[in-house]
Structure formats: structure tokens, C-alpha cells
């Protein structure tokens, strides 16, 4: 019987510091054993538990899209014991992985509809997966309009800057990047995400909204979505909670009777309304 | 009698709004026990009791109510905890009002349980007697044979610096030295003492009841929860268990009042007061200091005096 | 199949058992404190304490367990899983409440999606010999949670203390493996009659009045009730109730390592500890005792029932007996009942 607590080995192929404050590092991992790669099937929004053996394990949303074969990408925020180690490891090191875990974004529900994606700061990781997935030629026709609003505090703190530049040039999606404070090189928009959303005013008709960001951003953006008439069942978010096992056994990440690791991390606001405010 | 006076005083304090909240002891569902009660309305004082089962140190709750004006029922040892906490600047808003009750020494419920065969259904105090009833037994015990060991050697039963004293101050016992059980342990060789200690803490389940029951353990991050550096693991290895108890005891040096709340809280009956009694005796011997007696004297381990005994750091 | 086992043969019976099985039974560590442990010598077995502090869940889900070991080498870090146990096991002397609790934990650990292989391995390899409760305590309310002092469900063998001997009933295939045991004598009508008497007496003693029935629906309406503001006040936030509770199953996972070698270990954890839900960012969704006490009671009586159809409480009374401040879960349950607005002894004001 497969032991769900055993990590499979991955190699750190490439590492890149994403932000000017050096706190975010994107890891590109490849599978050590090809048979593991074959068995690994995921959807955007799922996460993995990355093991830095000796230090511990922590959950991270998968930033790469399943359409990007051959490797997995994770963006790590240096904050504690495990993440500091993941920042320290050099290319060629081995990192353990358990996954894919969680429920992922409801891709099937989005079929034939419009999508509004709102991201803030470094919560953008799984949103990158979602966007890359739908921009892929195999999937683009499955949904109609894509609007992306992505904000960070400063230009240096934006993730995936090269990709953002490429996406801006495309005509099959509408991308607005914004910052709270610009700098002398920043030519783009300056403004808080909730206000930019209000300006962009996407129609709520036949549209799903996916929102990921720090609690303060969500607190002010959510009312704007309500004002735009998005019903709770069509607003999705990916929650974070302290996790250990990632498979619904250790009891830690529950919100009411649901587990963020197993029944989430993606929830609709319709679901969250009925649960205790335990997050 | 004291109980009635206590209720009257509590009612007065709440009605006059001198305090917002009174923390005291109430009777509850099991015999030989009381439970902490939190009373806000004057009518609620009827749930206050005073007897030989008021074993908890209620001052451990004070940090939860720092925004309120709190009156807390204290025995001699508990009152000293408040003085010690005051020195550590734990009351920035309102100093708690101490409702002191000179202590008749508390009954060790685990000792009583061992003296009878079967479940105790009822225990009633009658003066110096304890009437204990079970399904198949009905015994009369002498209260003084069943006191907690720290209570037996207590020299500060009258709460010091109490704002209100319910009952008359008691004549304090002369200083006795350590409790005979602890003295016996002291007389053993270091190897025997280490063996005793290892055996006691081998039962530990890391529930931290001792830490939470203790009013002096109030750190927002306890050393056991630190991850960088990770001083100690969470498992039950002998070295982790020893580390936890030894370090916690040393963090109490000069701050512990010897109230015994740690030992009473422990579900595995670990005799923690053997450690605390000895530590307190050492502090008294080396620095002439007893916790919570002088409200102006800082604890010895947070001060340096050139006259301090320095034998141990040569 | 019913047999009689004389108490004078008991130690030898255990000695025999220990040749084939690893025996787990209650051991008295000091007077009044018992835990379930692996037995080295038959004399260690002590069945006098009705409710040992640590429950039988220890046998399937130890407080501290190594999940795997690893050693980093040149090319790879071979991970060696520690899921296998050596010999088959016998769990002897657990009471029906503890056995009921194993099934409650099992529903979480052995799921449709993922299986906790450590728990499963021990579960499959253990024969359960349950001991009935002739003298339940006043704190026992197993009959309110669907259990009972003579409940046989989940047992492979069922033992009843008759004074000079035990009556042993073989219930399952694992139990039938004992049918030829050389210490088992035929049980006569006298023994059967005595069992019936004891069973009737015991059934009257457990508390069936605690209104556990329907508590899930009642708590649905109480998520933001001011009840939680008061009830948590006396809880000091230790882990005693969670560690002693036979159905609590939260755990923490950490790596313990020195240089290149190490192991991943899991240890019991408690939702009542403040750092349990503390996130690295510093945000804590359960910042005070109010949220944590609510979590514990809701999990037992509302969340678990929503997922698995029954409350995660077996009425063993350990949390009542051993709580340092006498938090009484029965009073909390009574308070939620529409029939009473105050506990029997006091008010939650």
C-alpha cells in the first residue's frame, strides 16, 4: 500500500530570485525518476508539500501549469525554517515532494464562461498556473474572455516579470498590472487593486472571479466584486492555513468540517459563508 | 462562615463596581474538587465557596483579563505570586484586587483516593475531619493526615499584601526545612537522585499542564515552541523530557512561590514539588530571598549584588 | 464460543501469549497512574484502574512515532519507511469505550482517498481482547454516546471479570484462533448467569442522561453564540484532555536530524495549544482560548458528525477526571440542550 507520507525525490534544476527584496525565489524542479513524472497529473490550484529533509515540510501552490511539461515550478517566500532552507539549496540539490494535493480550481465550471483573475503580491503563484493553462492553445478556446488584474506594493515585488510583459502583448487576454507605489522606471498603472478592479469593471454576467491575495487586499476587493454583482457562488479563492500532513489526517487545517488541504484550498465564497470564520 | 463573609464581600465589590470581575472557587461536579469561577454579576456570588479543596492557583488567569478590574481570591501562596508578577510588571493597566483568605492547608485529593477502595462519591469536611463516602465504604479521615506536602511545610498561610482579608490571620508555623520526603531525597547520592528524577519524569506526556497552571509561566513563546533555534523536540525521549523539566524549573528560580499548582495539575502524578521545594530552599540559602514577600525586592536572578555568593562560578 | 479462564492461570496464559504476540496492556506506572504499554513481563499487567490515563489509542497511534529515516549520500537520499511492525500484536484489557474510540479514529485515518499506513498496519495486525466494566464510574457516560460497559462491537475476544475467573467470549476469526488455548476451560451455566447479573448491574450505573443526541444540529445554531465567551475562561490551555482523549488524533510532523542523517517524526499535538494554528506570517485564526475551545467542542460534536455520522466522543470521562481545572464536558453538552439552560451545578454566565 502506498505510503502517502513519503516524499518522492526531485532535482532542483533552476532557481531564480524573483523580487527586488530577495525574499521570493522560484524553484524549477524535475523528477528524478521518470515513472514519478508519468504518474504526476495535476490541475491549476493544487499544491505540493516540499520537503527540505532535516528541516521539515511545507505546502506550496504549484506555479507551473500542467501544460508546461517536464518540470514543476514553485515560488517560495522566505519566512521560516523550511523556506530559508529552500532558499539556501543550490541547483542540483534534491528536494522531496508530496503531491499533487488539494482540489484545484474548478476548471470544468469555467467552460464557456469569462474569467476575471485578481491577484495580489506573492499570492499570485497558483494564478500563474491558471492563466498559463488557459492561454495554452489546447485550452484557450474553452473559455471566453480572460481579464487579469495583478498588483504588488512596488514594481520590484511583481512576480514573473518577463511573463507579464509577454502576456501584456497578447490580444487574447486583458492584463492590467498595477503597483501601490511606482518608481522612476515604472510606466504602468499606479493604484490599489480594489480601485483598479472598479475601473476595469468587468461584467459579472457569465463570469467567474478568482481572487488570491493578502487578507487586507481581499477585505477591500471583495466588496467591489459584490458591487459588480458577482454572486458568491461565482467567486473563488485559494485559502492558506497552517498545514502538516496535507492529506486530511493531522486535523490541523480544518475550517468547520472541511479541511483546507483536502476539500480545498480552493473554495467558493458561497461555501465559506456557511463555515465558521476560522481562517 | 468564611464562605459567607467571602460572598458578602464579593457582592459588595461587584455592586460598588470596585471590580468588574471576581475570580474565585466554586463547587462543581466531582467530590474533593472545586473549579475556577468567573463572576461578573453581584447575584453570581452565591457560587463562591471556600474549603480545603481550593487547590488551584487562580492568579494564573490574571493575564487573560488585563483590561478589566479584577478581584481574585488568593491563599497565602497565591498572594505571593501576585507580588512576584507585579515586580515583573505584569499589571500595566489595573493591579488585581487581592481577596485574601488565610489558608487552612489544602487536602491532597490523590492521597485521599489512595486511602479508600473504590470510587469516592461524596466528601464532606467537618472541622478537622473528612467524611468520605463511596458505594461500599464510609470512612472518617483526619484532615491533617491528607494535606499536600507543600502545605504541610508552608510558613506563609496568611496572604501578604491582600487588599481584603476574609477571616483572621493565622499563626504561621515556624520554618521546618524541607518536607521529610524531599529531605530524604536530598540525603541520597547524586546517582540515586538522578534515578529518582528520571523515573518520575518518564511518565511525562508533555501536556504542559504544569506550565499552564503556573502563574509565573506566561511567556508568549515558550522555549519548547521555538523553532529557530529548535532547542527541544516534541517527542518523549528521555533527554527531551529531562531538558523540559530542568529548564522550566530553572526558569522558576527566584520566582516560584512553591504553591504546588504544577504538581496538582499533572495527570501523571509527577512529584514536581520535590524540585521546586529544593530550588526555593537553595535560593533562600544563597540569596536570603523568598518570592513574593517583599514587594520592592527584585528577584535575585534578575539582579546582581557584589556580595552575592559566587562559589559556583569559580 | 464462551470459555472460562481461571485467574490463577492468567499469568501463564499471558506468558504463552507473549511467545507468539507482542502484548499491549495497561501497566501501573505509579499508584493511580496507568498507561497502555508493551509488556515485557506478565506481572506488569495491571487491570485495576478502570480508566487508565493514556488510552488504548496509543497502541495504534503512538504519541511519538518515526515515519521514515533517511541518510543523505553522494547521489541520493534513500528514505526508509518505518511503517512495518515486527510481530502480530494483542491488545488486552482495553475497555469498550477505548475500542469504540479506535473505530472513530479509524474513520479518519483509513479513508477512501489516502490511508495512514502506520495506523493501518497496526490495526490489521492486532487482536483485541476487551475487558468489560463491572463497576463504571459516575463520570462514565458511554451509554449516552451509543456505547456501553459490556459492548462487544469491535472486539475479537471479550473478557468479563467474574471474581475468581474470567469469562472469555470468542467473537471473530482472530478470536477463534484462541479456541484451542490450553488455559481455556468450558464455561458453565453458573458463569453465564453471573455475567448476566454483572451486565445488568453495570448498565444501570453508566450515565445515559447526557443529551448527546441531536447535538450536531444544536451546535449548528451556536457557532457565534456568547456561550463560547464564557465557557473557555477557566480552560488553561494545556493538552491534558486532548492527549488523554481516546478519539483525539491531531498530530505534528517534524524532522529530527543531525548532519546527513535524520528521521521524520510525528508527535501528538493539541488544538488547545496557542501555536497550533499559528501561521508563519504571524496570523493566528484562533488567537484566544475562545476560538480554541470552540474548535475542540465543535470538532467532537459537530464537524466530525458532519463527516462521519456520529460524535467523536465515547463518554470515557477522562477529560472530566484529569482536567486540572475540572472543565466538565457533560455540563457543556447539557448547556447546549434546549431542555436545560444551565448545567446541573452551575451557570455558564
Amino acid at each position: 500500500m502506498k505510503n502517502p507520507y513519503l516524499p518522492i525525490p526531485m532535482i532542483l534544476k533552476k532557481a531564480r530570485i524573483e523580487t527586488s527584496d530577495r525574499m521570493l525565489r522560484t524553484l524549477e524542479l524535475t523528477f528524478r525518476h521518470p515513472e514519478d513524472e508519468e504518474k504526476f497529473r495535476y490541475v491549476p490550484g493544487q499544491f505540493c508539500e516540499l520537503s527540505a529533509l532535516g528541516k521539515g515540510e511545507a505546502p506550496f501552490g504549484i506555479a507551473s501549469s500542467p501544460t508546461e511539461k517536464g518540470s514543476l515550478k514553485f515560488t517560495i517566500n522566505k519566512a521560516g525554517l523550511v523556506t530559508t532552507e529552500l532558499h539556501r539549496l543550490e541547483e542540483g540539490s534534491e528536494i522531496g515532494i508530496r503531491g499533487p494535493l488539494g482540489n484545484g480550481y474548478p476548471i470544468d465550471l469555467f467552460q464557456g464562461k469569462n474569467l476575471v483573475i485578481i491577484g495580489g503580491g506573492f499570492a499570485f503563484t497558483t494564478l500563474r498556473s491558471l492563466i498559463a493553462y488557459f492561454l495554452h492553445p489546447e485550452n484557450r478556446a474553452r473559455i471566453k474572455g480572460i481579464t487579469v488584474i495583478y498588483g504588488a506594493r512596488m514594481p520590484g515585488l511583481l512576480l514573473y516579470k518577463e511573463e507579464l510583459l509577454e502576456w501584456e502583448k497578447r490580444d487574447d487576454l486583458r492584463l492590467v498590472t498595477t503597483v501601490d507605489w511606482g518608481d522612476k522606471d515604472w510606466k504602468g498603472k499606479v493604484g490599489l487593486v480594489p480601485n483598479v478592479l472598479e475601473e476595469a469593471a468587468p461584467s459579472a454576467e457569465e463570469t467567474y472571479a478568482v481572487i488570491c491575495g493578502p487578507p487586507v487586499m481581499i477585505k477591500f476587493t471583495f466588496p467591489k466584486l459584490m458591487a459588480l454583482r458577482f454572486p458568491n457562488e461565482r467567486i473563488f479563492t485559494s485559502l492558506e492555513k497552517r498545514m502538516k500532513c496535507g492529506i486530511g489526517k493531522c486535523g490541523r487545517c480544518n475550517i468547520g468540517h472541511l479541511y483546507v488541504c483536502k476539500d480545498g484550498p480552493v473554495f467558493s465564497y458561497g461555501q465559506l459563508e456557511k463555515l465558521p470564520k476560522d481562517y | 462562615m468564611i464562605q459567607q463573609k467571602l460572598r458578602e464581600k464579593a457582592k459588595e465589590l461587584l455592586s460598588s463596581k470596585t471590580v468588574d470581575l471576581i475570580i474565585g472557587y466554586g463547587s462543581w461536579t466531582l467530590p474533593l474538587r472545586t473549579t475556577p469561577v468567573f463572576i461578573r454579576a453581584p447575584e453570581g456570588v452565591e457560587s463562591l465557596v471556600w474549603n480545603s479543596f481550593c487547590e488551584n492557583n487562580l492568579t494564573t488567569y490574571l493575564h487573560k483579563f488585563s483590561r478589566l478590574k479584577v478581584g481574585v481570591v488568593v491563599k497565602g501562596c497565591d498572594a505571593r505570586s501576585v507580588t512576584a508578577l507585579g515586580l515583573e510588571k505584569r499589571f500595566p493597566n489595573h493591579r488585581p484586587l487581592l481577596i485574601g483568605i488565610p489558608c487552612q492547608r489544602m487536602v491532597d485529593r490523590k492521597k485521599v483516593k489512595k486511602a479508600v477502595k473504590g470510587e469516592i462519591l461524596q466528601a464532606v469536611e467537618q472541622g478537622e475531619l473528612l467524611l468520605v463516602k463511596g458505594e461500599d465504604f464510609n470512612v472518617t479521615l483526619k484532615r491533617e493526615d491528607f494535606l499536600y506536602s507543600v502545605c504541610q511545610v508552608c510558613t506563609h498561610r496568611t496572604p501578604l499584601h491582600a487588599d481584603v482579608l476574609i477571616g483572621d490571620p493565622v499563626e504561621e508555623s515556624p520554618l521546618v526545612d524541607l518536607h521529610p520526603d524531599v529531605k530524604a531525597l536530598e540525603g541520597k547520592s547524586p546517582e540515586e537522585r538522578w534515578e529518582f528524577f528520571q523515573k518520575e519524569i518518564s511518565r511525562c506526556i508533555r501536556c504542559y499542564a504544569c506550565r499552564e497552571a503556573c502563574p509565573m509561566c506566561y511567556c508568549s513563546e515558550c522555549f519548547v515552541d521555538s523553532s529557530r533555534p529548535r532547542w527541544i523536540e516534541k517527542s518523549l525521549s528521555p533527554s527531551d523530557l529531562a531538558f523540559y523539566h530542568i529548564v522550566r524549573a530553572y526558569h522558576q528560580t527566584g520566582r516560584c512561590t512553591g504553591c504546588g499548582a504544577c504538581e496538582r495539575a499533572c495527570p501523571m502524578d509527577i512529584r514536581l514539588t520535590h524540585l521546586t521545594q529544593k530550588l526555593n530552599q537553595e535560593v533562600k540559602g544563597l540569596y536570603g530571598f523568598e518570592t513574593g514577600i517583599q514587594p520592592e525586592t527584585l528577584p535575585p536572578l534578575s539582579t546582581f549584588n557584589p556580595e552575592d555568593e559566587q562559589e559556583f562560578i569559580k | 464460543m464462551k470459555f472460562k479462564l481461571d485467574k490463577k492461570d492468567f499469568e501463564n496464559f499471558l506468558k504463552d501469549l507473549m511467545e507468539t504476540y507482542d502484548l499491549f496492556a495497561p501497566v501501573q506506572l505509579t499508584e493511580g497512574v496507568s498507561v497502555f504499554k508493551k509488556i515485557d513481563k506478565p506481572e506488569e499487567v495491571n487491570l485495576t484502574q478502570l480508566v487508565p490515563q493514556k488510552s488504548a489509542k496509543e497502541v495504534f497511534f503512538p504519541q511519538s512515532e518515526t515515519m521514515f529515516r533517511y541518510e543523505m549520500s553522494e547521489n541520493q537520499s534513500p528514505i526508509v519507511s518505518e511503517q512495518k511492525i515486527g510481530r502480530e500484536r494483542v491488545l488486552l484489557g482495553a475497555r469498550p469505550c477505548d475500542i469504540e474510540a479506535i473505530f472513530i479514529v479509524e474513520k479518519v485515518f483509513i479513508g477512501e482517498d489516502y490511508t495512514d499506513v502506520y495506523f493501518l498496519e497496526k490495526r490489521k495486525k492486532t487482536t483485541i481482547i476487551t475487558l468489560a466494566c463491572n463497576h463504571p464510574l459516575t463520570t462514565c457516560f458511554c451509554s449516552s454516546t451509543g456505547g456501553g460497559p459490556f459492548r462487544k462491537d469491535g472486539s475479537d475476544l471479550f473478557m468479563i471479570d467474574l471474581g475468581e475467573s474470567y469469562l472469555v467470549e470468542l467473537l471473530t476469526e482472530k478470536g477463534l484462533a484462541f479456541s484451542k488455548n490450553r488455559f481455556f476451560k468450558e464455561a458453565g451455566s453458573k458463569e453465564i448467569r453471573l455475567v448476566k447479573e454483572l451486565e445488568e448491574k453495570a448498565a444501570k450505573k453508566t450515565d445515559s442522561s447526557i443529551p448527546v443526541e441531536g447535538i450536531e444540529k444544536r451546535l449548528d445554531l451556536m457557532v457565534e453564540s456568547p456561550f463560547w465567551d464564557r465557557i473557555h475562561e477557566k480552560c488553561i490551555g494545556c493538552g491534558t484532555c486532548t492527549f488523554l482523549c481516546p478519539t483525539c488524533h491531531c498530530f505534528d510532523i517534524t524532522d529530527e536530524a543531525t548532519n546527513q542523517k535524520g528521521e521524520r517524526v510525528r508527535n501528538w499535538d493539541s488544538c488547545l495549544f496557542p501555536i497550533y494554528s499559528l501561521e508563519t506570517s504571524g496570523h493566528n485564526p484562533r488567537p484566544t482560548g475562545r476560538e480554541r475551545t470552540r474548535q475542540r467542542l465543535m470538532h467532537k460534536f459537530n464537524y466530525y458528525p458532519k463527516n462521519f455520522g456520529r460524535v467523536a466522543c465515547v463518554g470515557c470521562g477522562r477529560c472530566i477526571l484529569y482536567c486540572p481545572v475540572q472543565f466538565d464536558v457533560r455540563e457543556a453538552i447539557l448547556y447546549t440542550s434546549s431542555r436545560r439552560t444551565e448545567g446541573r451545578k452551575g451557570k455558564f454566565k
Side-chain angles (χ1 to χ4, degrees):
Chain A
M1 165 140 294
K2 185 167 177 302
N3 184 341
Y5 296 102
L6 292 187
I8 57 175
M10 306 285 280
I11 314 275
L12 175 54
K13 180 168 150 206
K14 226 163 66 120
R16 200 179 76 148
I17 297 287
E18 288 279 353
T19 52
S20 52
D21 63 1
R22 309 194 67 76
M23 297 295 273
L24 276 100
R25 189 188 200 216
T26 297
L27 308 179
E28 192 178 334
L29 305 179
T30 53
F31 292 84
R32 168 159 249 146
H33 304 303
E35 59 269 21
D36 290 333
E37 178 171 2
E38 277 187 33
K39 284 189 261 173
F40 198 94
R41 297 257 172 279
Y42 68 102
V43 296
Q46 287 191 298
F47 70 97
C48 289
E49 289 268 355
L50 294 189
S51 279
L53 282 175
K55 295 283 184 282
E57 238 189 353
F60 299 98
I62 307 178
S64 55
S65 153
T67 52
E68 297 164 342
K69 308 272 182 230
S71 66
L72 298 176
K73 278 206 179 101
F74 299 91
T75 302
I76 317 286
N77 178 28
K78 185 167 157 191
L81 193 63
V82 175
T83 48
T84 304
E85 180 70 4
L86 290 173
H87 267 240
R88 193 192 67 82
L89 288 173
E90 290 165 354
E91 287 174 4
S93 306
E94 189 171 296
I95 296 180
I97 195 177
R98 283 195 298 126
L101 304 170
N103 61 350
Y105 293 114
I107 305 286
D108 297 330
L109 280 183
F110 298 161
Q111 304 270 35
K113 305 276 190 273
N114 301 307
L115 201 52
V116 169
I117 299 175
I118 308 156
F122 51 84
F124 195 70
T125 52
T126 52
L127 296 180
R128 180 200 174 284
S129 175
L130 186 63
I131 296 167
Y133 178 81
F134 277 120
L135 287 182
H136 192 270
E138 267 176 31
N139 300 317
R140 186 60 191 89
R142 288 162 66 187
I143 59 170
K144 288 163 53 190
I146 307 179
T147 309
V148 178
I149 300 171
Y150 175 33
R153 276 178 292 132
M154 289 178 283
L157 298 179
L158 287 164
L159 297 177
Y160 319 124
K161 298 184 187 57
E162 282 106 36
E163 266 151 339
L164 290 176
L165 285 173
E166 272 178 39
W167 289 347
E168 258 169 358
K169 298 198 197 108
R170 293 175 74 123
D171 56 7
D172 58 354
L173 98 145
R174 185 174 151 212
L175 169 64
V176 182
T177 351
T178 178
V179 294
D180 295 356
W181 299 287
D183 59 23
K184 53 181 170 51
D185 299 316
W186 179 250
K187 307 269 185 304
K189 222 175 183 32
V190 173
L192 298 170
V193 166
N195 299 331
V196 172
L197 170 66
E198 207 175 24
E199 269 178 43
S203 161
E205 211 178 298
E206 303 255 307
T207 310
Y208 280 88
V210 177
I211 172 171
C212 281
V216 64
M217 183 202 103
I218 299 209
K219 185 169 165 194
F220 289 102
T221 310
F222 186 67
K224 306 280 185 194
L225 282 173
M226 306 249 59
L228 288 168
R229 317 283 212 93
F230 278 87
N232 280 356
E233 294 72 45
R234 292 216 298 271
I235 309 176
F236 285 86
T237 186
S238 181
L239 286 183
E240 273 193 354
K241 218 169 174 218
R242 182 165 178 175
M243 282 184 206
K244 281 287 174 173
C245 71
I247 55 175
K249 307 290 177 211
C250 75
R252 191 172 303 264
C253 67
N254 77 301
I255 298 177
H257 65 285
L258 299 179
Y259 287 104
V260 175
C261 65
K262 210 167 60 116
D263 306 300
V266 176
F267 292 100
S268 75
Y269 269 86
Q271 277 176 299
L272 292 179
E273 250 184 351
K274 306 198 188 99
L275 297 171
K277 291 269 164 299
D278 219 7
Y279 49 89
Chain B
M1 241 265 292
I2 293 199
Q3 186 170 290
Q4 194 47 41
K5 281 206 196 134
L6 170 64
R7 290 178 184 178
E8 283 162 13
K9 191 69 193 173
K11 192 164 194 170
E12 187 195 305
L13 290 167
L14 285 169
S15 308
S16 61
K17 301 230 194 298
T18 316
V19 295
D20 304 313
L21 169 73
I22 290 195
I23 309 177
Y25 302 96
S27 80
W28 201 227
T29 50
L30 293 186
L32 295 170
R33 306 288 304 263
T34 53
T35 196
V37 290
F38 300 80
I39 304 174
R40 290 169 164 83
E43 314 80 69
V45 303
E46 294 307 307
S47 45
L48 285 171
V49 299
W50 175 253
N51 52 41
S52 302
F53 312 127
C54 296
E55 64 176 44
N56 300 86
N57 187 333
L58 300 176
T59 63
T60 190
Y61 293 109
L62 290 172
H63 72 99
K64 275 191 184 181
F65 301 100
S66 54
R67 296 197 195 284
L68 299 177
K69 289 184 293 189
V70 181
V72 59
V73 176
V74 290
K75 312 187 284 291
C77 46
D78 309 333
R80 288 163 55 204
S81 300
V82 177
T83 307
L85 288 169
L87 276 172
E88 294 184 10
K89 302 197 181 10
R90 292 292 291 168
F91 307 121
N93 301 327
H94 306 283
R95 197 166 182 292
L97 189 143
L98 299 184
I99 305 169
I101 306 186
C103 180
Q104 69 256 39
R105 306 187 210 265
M106 295 292 129
V107 162
D108 186 340
R109 55 184 159 92
K110 292 173 186 166
K111 221 178 195 170
V112 176
K113 198 155 167 259
K114 290 180 195 167
V116 297
K117 265 198 142 39
E119 190 190 2
I120 298 174
L121 298 175
Q122 197 189 69
V124 173
E125 267 188 286
Q126 232 178 54
E128 278 310 301
L129 298 175
L130 205 52
L131 310 174
V132 183
K133 245 200 267 198
E135 194 176 293
D136 308 311
F137 61 86
N138 197 335
V139 297
T140 305
L141 304 171
K142 269 171 60 185
R143 212 186 67 97
E144 67 173 358
D145 293 336
F146 290 91
L147 303 171
Y148 278 112
S149 62
V150 288
C151 295
Q152 288 170 34
V153 295
C154 177
T155 54
H156 298 286
R157 295 191 288 137
T158 308
L160 297 166
H161 321 296
D163 299 275
V164 170
L165 203 64
I166 314 271
D168 299 314
V170 293
E171 196 180 318
E172 301 293 354
S173 315
L175 179 58
V176 155
D177 198 359
L178 298 169
H179 185 273
D181 291 346
V182 188
K183 192 107 182 106
L185 182 62
E186 194 192 31
K188 298 207 161 94
S189 70
E191 291 80 29
E192 286 174 303
R193 282 184 260 141
W194 182 245
E195 206 189 298
F196 172 85
F197 173 70
Q198 288 278 70
K199 189 151 180 284
E200 285 295 300
I201 58 157
S202 67
R203 299 196 287 278
C204 178
I205 57 171
R206 302 286 291 276
C207 66
Y208 304 125
C210 49
R211 178 185 79 177
E212 300 300 337
C214 176
M216 306 312 290
C217 270
Y218 54 72
C219 290
S220 47
E221 185 184 80
C222 178
F223 74 94
V224 300
D225 295 325
S226 168
S227 65
R228 288 195 292 175
R230 197 148 74 200
W231 302 113
I232 182 177
E233 304 292 350
K234 292 187 193 282
S235 66
L236 301 180
S237 71
S239 64
D240 284 333
L241 297 179
F243 193 107
Y244 166 64
H245 285 286
I246 293 173
V247 172
R248 199 184 90 80
Y250 272 97
H251 283 181
Q252 295 303 319
T253 316
R255 308 165 65 230
C256 171
T257 64
C259 70
C262 47
E263 187 176 284
R264 296 168 200 181
C266 180
M268 309 303 275
D269 291 3
I270 298 174
R271 285 172 281 189
L272 294 165
T273 57
H274 278 47
L275 266 182
T276 57
Q277 281 188 54
K278 178 67 183 161
L279 262 179
N280 290 341
Q281 193 203 44
E282 296 268 278
V283 170
K284 185 130 198 260
L286 286 170
Y287 307 108
F289 179 82
E290 264 188 284
T291 311
I293 307 291
Q294 304 292 346
E296 304 300 310
T297 312
L298 288 173
L301 266 75
S302 52
T303 55
F304 178 71
N305 192 331
E307 277 86 50
D308 277 342
E309 175 87 47
Q310 305 204 48
E311 284 301 316
F312 51 88
I313 53 170
K314 285 232 173 73
Chain C
M1 290 178 89
K2 298 194 177 142
F3 296 98
K4 183 173 84 152
L5 171 62
D6 286 321
K7 279 197 181 168
K8 59 178 171 56
D9 293 330
F10 191 58
E11 227 172 82
N12 286 323
F13 164 72
L14 293 177
K15 217 184 252 165
D16 252 16
L17 207 64
M18 285 163 68
E19 309 224 325
T20 333
Y21 298 93
D22 280 343
L23 176 63
F24 287 78
V27 168
Q28 190 173 76
L29 298 178
T30 187
E31 197 180 342
V33 179
S34 298
V35 299
F36 279 85
K37 256 175 108 172
K38 179 156 171 291
I39 305 294
D40 296 318
K41 292 196 285 277
E43 311 87 79
E44 288 177 335
V45 176
N46 184 310
L47 302 172
T48 55
Q49 194 170 334
L50 190 84
V51 191
Q53 269 83 347
K54 280 179 112 179
S55 65
K57 82 174 170 190
E58 178 89 33
V59 177
F60 303 93
F61 173 45
Q63 177 155 5
S64 198
E65 184 169 21
T66 302
M67 296 166 80
F68 62 78
R69 293 178 201 281
Y70 70 88
E71 185 160 354
M72 308 274 225
S73 62
E74 241 322 293
N75 291 319
Q76 38 198 3
S77 53
I79 291 180
V80 179
S81 170
E82 293 284 324
Q83 69 200 72
K84 294 277 171 234
I85 58 170
R87 302 200 297 171
E88 295 267 330
R89 295 176 165 194
V90 163
L91 166 58
L92 180 129
R95 306 292 176 156
C97 50
D98 275 7
I99 303 307
E100 186 85 19
I102 306 288
F103 283 91
I104 291 178
V105 176
E106 187 176 285
K107 285 207 172 96
V108 178
F109 278 21
I110 304 180
E112 299 163 351
D113 39 14
Y114 301 102
T115 300
D116 188 303
V117 295
Y118 306 98
F119 184 88
L120 179 69
E121 168 83 356
K122 299 179 183 74
R123 185 82 183 83
K124 281 201 306 212
K125 283 191 167 163
T126 306
T127 303
I128 297 178
I129 308 182
T130 309
L131 178 61
C133 303
N134 293 356
H135 305 287
L137 304 173
T138 53
T139 48
C140 293
F141 60 103
C142 51
S143 43
S144 295
T145 56
F150 273 66
R151 197 169 138 92
K152 300 184 191 143
D153 293 44
S155 312
D156 297 303
L157 292 91
F158 197 76
M159 254 168 61
I160 301 152
D161 190 336
L162 302 176
E164 298 292 325
S165 62
Y166 293 108
L167 184 95
V168 185
E169 196 176 335
L170 310 184
L171 297 166
T172 62
E173 230 182 271
K174 274 203 180 116
L176 286 171
F178 284 72
S179 54
K180 301 272 189 299
N181 191 292
R182 61 191 176 109
F183 296 104
F184 283 1
K185 305 197 177 86
E186 204 181 301
S189 53
K190 190 175 89 172
E191 279 83 36
I192 311 281
R193 213 175 28 245
L194 187 50
V195 165
K196 206 159 175 296
E197 276 171 35
L198 290 167
E199 184 168 354
E200 275 166 17
K201 233 174 96 185
K204 291 203 194 96
K205 287 183 90 180
T206 61
D207 192 346
S208 327
S209 73
I210 309 296
V212 172
E213 185 83 31
I215 195 170
E216 184 197 329
K217 293 269 179 311
R218 297 200 295 272
L219 284 174
D220 270 338
L221 306 169
M222 288 176 66
V223 179
E224 296 298 333
S225 161
F227 165 71
W228 304 112
D229 298 323
R230 293 291 164 259
I231 193 177
H232 81 93
E233 283 178 328
K234 69 181 180 188
C235 170
I236 54 177
C238 68
T240 302
C241 57
T242 49
F243 285 4
L244 268 43
C245 174
T247 64
C248 273
H249 53 269
C250 284
F251 58 90
D252 192 7
I253 304 178
T254 48
D255 284 7
E256 295 185 21
T258 319
N259 296 328
Q260 303 297 88
K261 267 172 48 169
E263 46 189 57
R264 183 158 289 169
V265 180
R266 74 165 168 200
N267 295 300
W268 290 354
D269 206 346
S270 172
C271 58
L272 295 173
F273 290 151
I275 62 162
Y276 178 74
S277 51
L278 178 67
E279 294 163 26
T280 311
S281 61
H283 173 60
N284 191 341
R286 299 183 196 137
T288 72
R290 172 188 176 271
E291 289 82 38
R292 298 192 282 266
T293 310
R294 177 178 70 175
Q295 157 64 19
R296 179 147 201 276
L297 291 176
M298 292 287 276
H299 180 232
K300 290 250 174 282
F301 297 104
N302 181 279
Y303 305 155
Y304 185 93
K306 277 194 165 53
N307 290 332
F308 300 108
R310 62 152 292 161
V311 296
C313 173
V314 292
C316 70
R318 280 181 176 87
C319 53
I320 305 166
L321 285 168
Y322 303 119
C323 173
V325 297
Q326 260 251 267
F327 187 102
D328 197 323
V329 70
R330 297 172 297 180
E331 298 300 309
I333 299 171
L334 275 162
Y335 190 78
T336 66
S337 157
S338 55
R339 281 179 276 139
R340 311 241 220 154
T341 53
E342 58 179 75
R344 282 168 305 189
K345 277 281 185 167
K347 297 186 170 61
F348 283 110
K349 252 234 265 264

